[in-house]
Amino acid sequence: MPLDEYRRKRDFSKTPEPAGDKRAGSKRKRSPSAPPAFCVQKHLASHLHYDLRLEHDGVLLSWAVPKGPSLNPDDRRMAVRTEDHPRDYGGFEGVIPEGYGAGIVMLWDRGTWTPEVDDVDAALAKGDLKFSLDGYKLKGSWALVRIRDRSDTAPAQRGRNWLLIKHADFWSGPIDIAEFAPRSVVSDGDFDDILATDMPELWVTGRPATAAGRGSAARLTQQVIESAARKILARNEAVEPEPAGRKPRPRSRRKP
């Protein structure tokens, strides 16, 4: 089944990630002319990376892009093929408290994609998938190109390493899109905002809610908590002290 590996890696009694329909191998019932969906999720796990997901045959084909997509055609961004994800994952944003992928997931971009090849499966088998994106942040023509394995590549890792390349077009350029547009396309939040919404007990205390969560999740979120604390202090000003007998006058709040 297409999602067996995805489900094997996760304990859905602990993670809020969608398990996906057991019939996830079937194609979505929609107009054949409607383009499939894509998303990019910014994932603070053991390392910060971006997950590119393309809807195809009822699942989301997935690649982990450590440095994130680049709009510069001269860049060749490593993209590691990972397990297929359920379609529902395209709307997921939140905190994975423990286990596989523990950390914070942001829905960084989403939209639709259109293959620039006649047969997607044949292009994947060949290792050369050309496509166009129509998202909030990523648009225009792109390519995923599989690179040759090294002689010492482990059998389980063979065929997983690709390059994500932006084609030169109207939507290409030298701008660092990850730095220019770092926030969520659904909540307009950053990692600290997602953490505060999804796990308030961790946000308030700085400690996981359960003993089982005192490992990776705490380490991964500590830097977010510290960053958010600095942001809160910068954005919120204290009330000015006034001489006795005078009513305190609140200072104006700076715009974010």
Side-chain angles (χ1 to χ4, degrees):
M1 294 293 291
L3 298 179
D4 283 353
E5 184 179 0
Y6 171 84
R7 296 191 181 102
R8 178 180 58 79
K9 290 181 175 181
R10 291 161 175 84
D11 182 347
F12 294 103
S13 68
K14 298 178 180 178
T15 180
E17 298 168 283
D21 193 321
K22 294 295 184 181
R23 299 165 297 174
S26 61
K27 295 184 180 180
R28 174 182 291 180
K29 293 181 179 179
R30 54 177 167 80
S31 170
S33 61
F38 92 93
C39 75
V40 177
Q41 282 154 322
K42 187 176 176 182
H43 188 179
L44 179 62
S46 55
H47 300 283
L48 177 66
H49 64 277
Y50 295 72
D51 291 305
L52 169 65
R53 309 195 194 282
L54 306 176
E55 181 187 7
H56 178 62
D57 277 354
V59 298
L60 297 177
L61 308 176
S62 299
W63 288 260
V65 185
K67 293 185 177 181
S70 173
L71 303 185
N72 188 341
D74 291 333
D75 289 340
R76 304 288 189 266
R77 291 292 166 89
M78 176 65 73
V80 180
R81 183 81 184 270
T82 62
E83 71 275 9
D84 296 343
H85 282 52
R87 291 195 306 258
D88 292 350
Y89 210 99
F92 176 68
E93 178 171 281
V95 178
I96 304 172
E98 56 184 287
Y100 180 76
I104 308 173
V105 177
M106 174 199 297
L107 192 51
W108 183 77
D109 196 15
R110 67 176 178 181
T112 60
W113 75 286
T114 304
E116 295 178 358
V117 295
D118 293 331
D119 187 329
V120 172
D121 292 317
L124 290 169
K126 182 181 178 182
D128 186 1
L129 176 62
K130 295 179 176 64
F131 56 96
S132 59
L133 298 178
D134 186 12
Y136 290 94
K137 302 174 184 180
L138 304 182
K139 294 181 179 290
S141 183
W142 299 74
L144 278 163
V145 181
R146 189 169 58 232
I147 59 178
R148 184 176 300 176
D149 294 316
R150 293 172 31 171
S151 59
D152 59 349
T153 301
Q157 303 300 315
R158 291 187 175 275
R160 294 184 58 198
N161 291 331
W162 298 61
L163 296 176
L164 176 63
I165 305 167
K166 180 74 182 78
H167 289 150
D169 58 16
F170 179 81
W171 303 103
S172 63
I175 186 171
D176 185 340
I177 188 63
E179 181 178 349
F180 178 77
R183 302 173 77 88
S184 165
V185 293
V186 290
S187 64
D188 194 37
D190 209 336
F191 283 131
D192 53 306
D193 302 304
I194 297 168
L195 180 63
T197 299
D198 213 53
M199 292 190 72
E201 75 285 351
L202 179 57
W203 174 257
V204 171
T205 66
R207 298 188 301 272
T210 64
R214 289 177 187 155
S216 58
R219 292 193 297 271
L220 293 168
T221 54
Q222 187 60 41
Q223 60 182 295
V224 180
I225 293 171
E226 292 172 357
S227 172
R230 290 192 294 270
K231 182 189 295 185
I232 291 168
L233 289 174
R235 287 184 176 178
N236 297 281
E237 298 196 16
V239 176
E240 280 187 342
E242 295 284 345
R246 292 180 60 185
K247 185 178 181 180
R249 183 179 73 255
R251 297 177 64 183
S252 61
R253 189 186 297 272
R254 290 204 304 264
K255 294 181 178 180

